[in-house]
Amino acid sequence: MSQEVVKSGYLTKSPPQSTTSISFKNWRRRWFVLLDSSKAFPLAPRQVRLEYYTDETSASHCEKPKGVIDLRDCSGVVSSVKEIRGHKNVFNVVTKRRCYHLSADAVPDKEKWVFELQRIVNDCKSPQRYGMTTNTFTASSRVNDDATLAMPKLIPPVVPDKYRGSGGPRKVKSEDAHFAAGSPSKGVGSPSGPTSLTY
């Protein structure tokens, strides 16, 4: 199986609702397997299924299941407090097409099934957990953010006070600032350099 097995075990299942008689003998004991693909394939559309087989051997041999309940279409999992047709420890899995009455062998087993089913059904209703999330964090975005933070700010050069006109400080090109500061190759008073600045 390509999906993770969340829980498995025997449950007694009610017959289809189209059956005219839903007496005690119409219920069938099946091996149920709860599957979830979110951990095995976190970036793929999520698949959550409750499959049931004739017995545990059929499931282990990967035979075709007798039935599949798509939990994405499940509207709720309800724990019943009363017996149904003589069956105890009953809980209901309600879908758009059918209500499944399932009976566990004991109360602790019923509670575990209800807990896992409710957790998955509620999780599927959250848009950020179904398929790909909207808040995906990638390593490339972290690298870009760090590079932006580490980049030094470039401050344009300012004309020294003795070359400043009445208009206040003026920004000049880097080569002009280099000349104004007095470089060895093109400094103030240098025979090869200009004697004045033009703005």
Side-chain angles (χ1 to χ4, degrees):
M1 295 182 181
S2 60
Q3 303 180 45
E4 179 188 2
V5 177
V6 178
K7 183 172 174 53
S8 61
Y10 279 105
L11 294 171
T12 304
K13 181 183 71 65
S14 64
Q17 293 174 326
S18 59
T19 305
T20 56
S21 175
I22 54 173
S23 61
F24 184 90
K25 64 181 181 180
N26 294 119
W27 291 52
R28 295 289 183 264
R29 185 174 174 82
R30 302 299 186 202
W31 179 262
F32 281 77
V33 181
L34 177 58
L35 300 170
D36 185 1
S37 67
S38 61
K39 291 185 177 181
F41 305 98
L43 298 181
R46 190 174 186 179
Q47 302 290 331
V48 283
R49 300 150 57 95
L50 184 61
E51 301 179 348
Y52 53 93
Y53 300 80
T54 303
D55 49 33
E56 184 178 2
T57 303
S58 301
S60 61
H61 290 170
C62 298
E63 297 181 8
K64 184 178 179 180
K66 294 188 69 68
V68 177
I69 304 174
D70 190 346
L71 295 177
R72 293 175 302 175
D73 296 331
C74 181
S75 58
V77 179
V78 183
S79 178
S80 179
V81 295
K82 61 180 182 179
E83 297 182 7
I84 299 179
R85 297 295 190 270
H87 292 276
K88 300 179 180 179
N89 308 317
V90 176
F91 60 94
N92 306 324
V93 179
V94 184
T95 67
K96 296 179 181 179
R97 301 175 57 185
R98 178 180 170 185
C99 178
Y100 294 84
H101 302 293
L102 304 175
S103 174
D105 293 339
V107 174
D109 193 29
K110 168 190 171 181
E111 293 176 346
K112 290 179 181 179
W113 275 108
V114 171
F115 173 80
E116 293 295 347
L117 287 167
Q118 287 181 340
R119 178 183 63 81
I120 288 179
V121 170
N122 293 335
D123 208 23
C124 286
K125 293 178 181 180
S126 174
Q128 293 185 350
R129 294 300 304 275
Y130 185 77
M132 295 181 66
T133 61
T134 56
N135 296 326
T136 304
F137 180 81
T138 60
S140 60
S141 63
R142 176 59 184 272
V143 171
N144 293 335
D145 291 342
D146 290 346
T148 303
L149 293 175
M151 183 179 296
K153 294 183 178 180
L154 300 178
I155 302 175
V158 179
V159 180
D161 292 340
K162 62 180 179 179
Y163 298 106
R164 186 180 303 162
S166 59
R170 297 184 183 182
K171 298 179 181 179
V172 297
K173 297 182 180 180
S174 58
E175 58 270 18
D176 294 334
H178 185 65
F179 160 71
S183 64
S185 60
K186 197 176 182 182
V188 178
S190 173
S192 59
T195 58
S196 63
L197 285 175
T198 303
Y199 299 108

